[in-house]
Amino acid sequence: TCVCVVAAAAAGAQRPLVVLLDRADDLAAPLRHRETYQALVDDVLQHAKNAATFKGDDGADRTVDLRVDEDDFYAKHATRSFPDVIDASGEALTELRTREAALRARGDGAAAADGLAATVGELPRLLERKKKLEVHTAVLGAVMREVMKREVPRYAEAEDDCRDAAELLGAAAPGTVDDKLRLLGVALLSRGVDAAAAAALAAAAAPGEGQDAARLSRGVAALEALAKRRAGSTETTPAPESGGQEEVGFASVLATAQAGAKTVAATAVAGAARLLSKGAAVRAPIVLANLFEARPGTEHDRWLELDAKVGPSFYANAGAAAPKLAAADVPLDAVVFSVGAGSYLEHHALQRAFADGPRTVCYGATDLADPSAFLDELISLGESAP
């Protein structure tokens, strides 16, 4: 169900690799709790069309625009881990305030005229940057409040190893009904839990005080039905072979953030340590590395591979062997497209995996649903299961 295509290109240009991922192959990825800044904004705040809405310090609703193409700080830090972004925001704001004070001081004393001329051009730009950073400070605070209230790090860790899954599904557990259903969905749909363990986890799911018991019951039943249908399928997709590539996702980078934290937010960041304690099972970067490197025994051998330079008549011959690319023709760049719901987790994992070059990776999807919206799709799908 997954395809890699070596696309056509203009004469002299390097041809990119186009990888089509079937979302049905990895239903768990969009459900997972995340740790990058942009992904958490999409997860715990109201987020649509680049606008995030949250409660401000005064309790009133506040809506801000967050665009990577218009905001230098967001462009640089959207894919970074949340604790790292908190530190970066504090440091950048301190630097800007220091620079602002220095600019304003130019207008004092004997050199007032020269100082004023220099300040007129630079100060407005500095104040605009400061304004955007203060927006990020407010967003980071709102995200942190939700992360700690729902104990998102615990859910992220349980999705990796399932050790605390039963406890987090119980009535006394923190988090929302959707947090519990997402955890259950990851456990049931990752093909790593046997039938007895899956039944035990489903039985452990219980709503907390004031939570929507009907949604939880409906979700559990639908996820169980979907998992059973997938388990009964004759087609299985082998787990990606890492080939030495480190998994990308919830990496252990918090120590750096904690060591450099010098603000009040450091205490809250320390509480999020577990969020980054293990590597999440992000399939896309491992698969792409296998395809780039043509590693034997991996997706490179199993997946359908098409070459745009070869005419359709070639593939019409069922017995024809797939053409092999010359070493000089191996793509350096890739377009990864998920047929179905996309995931910030996959997008950011791909960006981080290949950030040091020389390869460039572009990610796309049929749509980019937030975790709760994708959960709704899965519930509907499970309820339609025969």
Side-chain angles (χ1 to χ4, degrees):
T1 56
C2 297
V3 182
C4 57
V5 181
V6 183
Q14 178 69 47
R15 298 195 294 160
L17 181 70
V18 180
V19 181
L20 302 181
L21 301 176
D22 189 343
R23 174 49 61 208
D25 237 27
D26 184 8
L27 292 175
L31 294 176
R32 288 182 177 274
H33 290 79
R34 305 93 180 272
E35 48 83 30
T36 59
Y37 182 24
Q38 188 179 39
L40 279 170
V41 167
D42 189 61
D43 191 343
V44 304
L45 304 182
Q46 297 180 41
H47 182 237
K49 298 180 180 179
N50 299 312
T53 300
F54 55 93
K55 294 288 185 183
D57 292 336
D58 58 358
D61 285 343
R62 182 177 179 184
T63 299
V64 299
D65 285 330
L66 296 173
R67 295 178 176 272
V68 294
D69 57 340
E70 297 179 1
D71 184 333
D72 290 341
F73 183 86
Y74 201 44
K76 183 177 180 180
H77 297 288
T79 64
R80 295 186 65 195
S81 66
F82 186 65
D84 285 345
V85 179
I86 288 180
D87 276 350
S89 173
E91 292 168 2
L93 199 53
T94 298
E95 180 184 345
L96 282 178
R97 286 171 176 165
T98 301
R99 182 62 180 156
E100 179 188 358
L103 283 175
R104 293 187 185 280
R106 288 181 181 177
D108 298 333
D114 293 339
L116 180 61
T119 301
V120 165
E122 187 173 352
L123 187 58
R125 293 193 295 271
L126 193 71
L127 293 177
E128 181 63 25
R129 289 178 57 199
K130 179 183 173 185
K131 180 180 177 181
K132 288 184 177 180
L133 272 175
E134 288 172 341
V135 167
H136 284 289
T137 299
V139 173
L140 288 165
V143 170
M144 179 58 76
R145 288 192 290 272
E146 286 297 311
V147 164
M148 302 312 293
K149 180 175 71 175
R150 290 164 49 179
E151 295 193 26
V152 170
R154 292 185 62 193
Y155 284 93
E157 190 171 55
E159 288 163 359
D160 284 343
D161 56 31
C162 289
R163 282 183 298 180
D164 294 331
E167 180 183 348
L168 288 171
L169 290 168
T176 65
V177 164
D178 281 9
D179 285 326
K180 297 177 181 180
L181 288 174
R182 287 166 60 187
L183 171 58
L184 181 63
V186 170
L188 297 185
L189 300 175
S190 295
R191 295 186 173 129
V193 177
D194 60 36
L201 287 175
E209 183 178 353
Q211 291 187 335
D212 190 344
R215 178 171 174 80
L216 183 66
S217 177
R218 179 185 169 214
V220 169
L223 290 171
E224 282 190 295
L226 190 58
K228 289 176 182 177
R229 184 167 73 176
R230 286 168 61 81
S233 173
T234 57
E235 180 181 352
T236 59
T237 301
E241 300 288 342
S242 65
Q245 173 85 3
E246 292 185 2
E247 289 187 345
V248 181
F250 296 132
S252 300
V253 298
L254 186 60
T256 301
Q258 288 177 312
K262 302 179 180 67
T263 63
V264 176
T267 301
V269 173
R274 289 165 297 178
L275 184 63
L276 310 178
S277 62
K278 295 182 180 292
V282 186
R283 187 168 184 260
I286 302 172
V287 168
L288 185 55
N290 291 338
L291 296 175
F292 269 144
E293 303 301 330
R295 292 171 180 153
T298 68
E299 293 79 9
H300 176 261
D301 294 339
R302 295 190 297 265
W303 283 17
L304 174 62
E305 182 175 336
L306 307 175
D307 191 330
K309 286 185 176 180
V310 179
S313 59
F314 179 90
Y315 294 102
N317 181 358
K324 297 296 182 181
L325 291 175
D329 211 16
V330 174
L332 281 177
D333 304 319
V335 177
V336 179
F337 189 89
S338 176
V339 182
S343 165
Y344 277 116
L345 180 65
E346 287 178 333
H347 170 44
H348 294 168
L350 285 165
Q351 295 301 310
R352 290 160 67 169
F354 300 97
D356 295 332
R359 304 186 187 280
T360 300
V361 179
C362 179
Y363 179 80
T366 305
D367 60 11
L368 196 60
D370 65 54
S372 290
F374 185 67
L375 178 62
D376 288 338
E377 293 182 21
L378 290 185
I379 290 174
S380 298
L381 186 62
E383 289 176 334
S384 66

